[in-house]
Amino acid sequence: LMVEMRDVFVPDLDEADTGIHGRISNMITLLSLHDPEVRCHLDSVGIDPSFYSVRWLTTLLSREFLLPDTIRLWDSMFASTHKDNFLRYVSVTMVMVIRDQLLTGDFSACLRLLQAYPPTNLDRLLESSRALWIYESQITLACHKGGISLGHALRSIAPPPAIIMAYGLERGVAPPMREQVRAAGERGLRVAREKANGIASSGMASAGRSFLGNAMSFWRGGNNNNNNGGENSSSATRRSKSTL
């Protein structure tokens, strides 16, 4: 285990896939894939992944749970043939377990939840992380080997019951095609209305500017005519006086 973890503590390997930054990046990529809403919320409130994931990954989650749960977690990790994947999926599932509290929290509330992880059912956590890995493997295989789209794969393959979030879908359940088409149509209609309103507003503004410009031109022209008229009348008066 320590041989596999060695690169995390080597500064020269920080940017490598096996280094600390690479592992954090892989973890956040996985979170973005399966729960983009939480990822975007954490970004919006200013939570950098390093604020919590450095401790999670370097201590193998030994500081996040009570000792009996930590022993149970490590026992499962030692039995795994892909310890890096195991730790990444468990970490992402930990975020999704508390997603409801995170989505309603600000910077301090989210940071407190992530740095002082609340008590949770570890067996459920491990089951959910394993179900997520299995489901993602099935979807990936169907897309790459079967040549079908992601949407088709999500509708064709039933997600395991233990999944919390998968591919941005609650419990990994894809809505029926009819609902997807209706939602896409509503989004398209909303965008079209916004664009139409923007064009109408822009047209009204252009018309207003044109009207104002014409009015200013007319006003300037009127003043020039008045000035020219005044000058002509003065010249005529001077000529009449000189004739007299």
Side-chain angles (χ1 to χ4, degrees), residues 5-233:
M5 291 293 298
R6 180 186 67 89
D7 293 355
V8 173
F9 304 98
V10 179
D12 292 340
L13 299 176
D14 281 352
E15 303 301 330
D17 286 342
T18 55
I20 185 62
H21 292 168
R23 296 196 183 203
I24 292 175
S25 177
N26 292 336
M27 171 187 162
I28 298 305
T29 299
L30 186 65
L31 178 63
S32 302
L33 174 64
H34 292 299
D35 201 342
E37 185 180 7
V38 166
R39 165 67 196 281
C40 291
H41 177 72
L42 293 178
D43 286 346
S44 66
V45 298
I47 299 294
D48 189 87
S50 62
F51 292 171
Y52 59 94
S53 57
V54 170
R55 189 175 79 176
W56 288 11
L57 298 177
T58 55
T59 65
L60 304 178
L61 299 173
S62 61
R63 297 180 60 185
E64 314 311 318
F65 305 103
L66 298 175
L67 182 58
D69 289 339
T70 302
I71 295 173
R72 171 75 175 87
L73 174 69
W74 280 30
D75 184 62
S76 298
M77 183 166 53
F78 289 147
S80 174
T81 55
H82 300 283
K83 296 177 178 57
D84 183 33
N85 279 345
F86 175 89
L87 190 61
R88 181 166 64 251
Y89 279 85
V90 169
S91 298
V92 168
T93 304
M94 286 172 61
V95 176
M96 293 193 291
V97 165
I98 57 173
R99 69 184 311 270
D100 292 338
Q101 297 119 290
L102 291 174
L103 290 174
T104 58
D106 55 7
F107 174 85
S108 59
C110 291
L111 190 63
R112 191 181 311 113
L113 283 168
L114 293 168
Q115 290 189 342
Y117 197 78
T120 187
N121 187 327
L122 189 67
D123 289 333
R124 177 176 175 268
L125 174 65
L126 293 175
E127 184 181 2
S128 297
S129 64
R130 182 173 181 274
L132 180 63
W133 179 78
I134 292 175
Y135 187 54
E136 182 185 329
S137 301
Q138 292 173 337
I139 295 295
T140 303
L141 185 63
C143 292
H144 291 177
K145 300 294 185 180
I148 63 176
S149 65
L150 176 60
H152 187 188
L154 291 173
R155 291 189 299 271
S156 302
I157 302 175
I163 283 183
I164 301 171
M165 292 288 297
Y167 296 97
L169 302 171
E170 186 175 357
R171 306 191 68 81
V173 178
M177 178 61 74
R178 182 179 300 176
E179 294 184 10
Q180 293 185 17
V181 172
R182 183 173 63 251
E186 291 176 351
R187 287 195 300 270
L189 183 61
R190 183 169 60 252
V191 171
R193 286 175 177 171
E194 291 174 355
K195 289 184 177 180
N197 292 335
I199 292 173
S201 300
S202 177
M204 293 178 62
S206 299
R209 288 193 296 269
S210 178
F211 176 79
L212 179 61
N214 293 336
M216 293 296 293
S217 298
F218 177 80
W219 180 78
R220 293 193 185 98
N223 282 346
N224 291 336
N225 291 335
N226 290 337
N227 293 336
N228 293 335
E231 292 175 357
N232 293 337
S233 62

